[in-house]
Amino acid sequence: MIKRTRRPSEMTGLSRRQLLKATGSTAALLAAAKLNFPAGAFAQDAGPEVKGAKLGFIALSDAGPLFVAKDKGLFAKYGMPDTDVQKQASWGTTRDNLVLGSEGNGIDGAHILTPMPYLISAGKVTQNNQPTPMYILARLNLDSQCISVANEYADLKLGVDAAPFKAALEKKKASGKAVKAAMTFPGGTHDLWIRYWLAAGGIDPDKDIETIVVPPPQMVANMKVGTMDCFCVGEPWNLQLIHQKIGYTAVNTGELWNKHPEKSFGMRAAFVDKYPKAAKALLMAVMEAQQWADKAENKAELAAIMGKRQWMNCPVEDVLDRSAGKFDYGIPGKVVENSPHIMKYWRDHASYPFQSHDLWFLTEDIRWGKYEPNFDTKALIAKVNREDLWKDAAKTLGVAAADIPTSTSRGKETFFDGKVFDPENPAAYLKSLAIKRVEV
């Protein structure tokens, strides 16, 4: 592994004094929110129909834009000062609270795994299969989830190729021990990344290993007691695993699919339809927070914000390096400076919810049996994906025309193993995959 020289302008480490300064500056900036983020014409106009909403999040760094929007007064800037950003225990809890809605003591929207608004809208993961219509208003980020492996497999030094893992798992199973892969929600992004990685290495995720659900904040503790052999989750939990010397990172998911979509900002359709101005205000606050979070000069402060108790509640060192682009895989000699797979909140059209990406998630969920083979994906995407609202918010924010995509498709996508997903022909993609639960 060749180490690249870090540019002086890029910060991937902080002294205690710098951290305290960054944390302190957050409070100072919040106090001066009106100076840093003066209220715009949008909030001064007729304004949103309500003054707030209840939004959920899971303790993951891709929820950073929601933390920033709350901490820096951006929700207030756009006329939504009473917006409450609430920590959820698991993605299952997020789903249940979205079904309830704030009127039922639940939530109106959330930082969410991109496939979930579709699964919820289709009634695939709800009680009695009762649909709760959802909208995706924006994507929150690209890249930077990870697949981590227990130190039990340290000698394999696993990377993008999972093939060497197969023999080790078979040997362990032959000794009478269980082998398990953990993800965060059935049919969600982490489930799909780890399934793709395993299947590409010849490991059937339903037959050769048991796939289990573990909430993100509980991954490290479960790996420590031997609950699973590998897991897929976002940060800070992969780096925390390394810092606690329990395991190592096999792959950054950006290595599986460069610039892949990840989380979304999803809301109940009922809220958006009833309060369209309020929904737009929330969306604008999140989009401005994404722009702020993506700037290199803000990474130290972003890490300080994310580590706060009310947000991720973790040591800043468990999140800073990777949020700033330095990836130590926990394997001797494998440290990448200025990783191209850093989490992207705004650049590379990270915020825009391409319909073609939603189609890939639905196609993969068909692959693994979450939807019927003949499920009408286009009809569901037309209901759930609200890229029209994103474009409207972008124009009001004054986003440059070059940063507003003109197509709902990003085109063909190529994966690390050479597989190609053409949004115009998802059936051909499915047919090319050796391990799947559907006949094409």
Side-chain angles (χ1 to χ4, degrees), residues 136-188:
I136 285 177
L137 276 60
R139 202 79 70 213
L140 285 177
N141 67 299
L142 304 178
D143 287 346
S144 211
Q145 311 303 291
C146 289
I147 295 172
S148 290
V149 181
N151 274 340
E152 179 181 351
Y153 305 98
D155 59 323
L156 295 180
K157 296 181 179 179
L158 292 169
V160 292
D161 183 9
F165 199 27
K166 186 173 184 178
L169 293 175
E170 289 174 348
K171 183 178 179 181
K172 186 172 181 178
K173 285 172 69 177
S175 71
K177 297 178 181 178
V179 293
K180 298 180 180 181
M183 46 77 184
T184 61
F185 190 84

Side-chain angles (χ1 to χ4, degrees), residues 134-138 272-273 283 353 381-391:
M134 295 281 300
Y135 291 153
I136 285 177
L137 276 60
V272 178
D273 293 343
L283 178 53
I381 289 172
K383 292 178 182 178
V384 176
N385 184 295
R386 295 305 306 271
E387 53 88 26
D388 59 316
L389 299 183
W390 189 97
K391 286 184 175 179

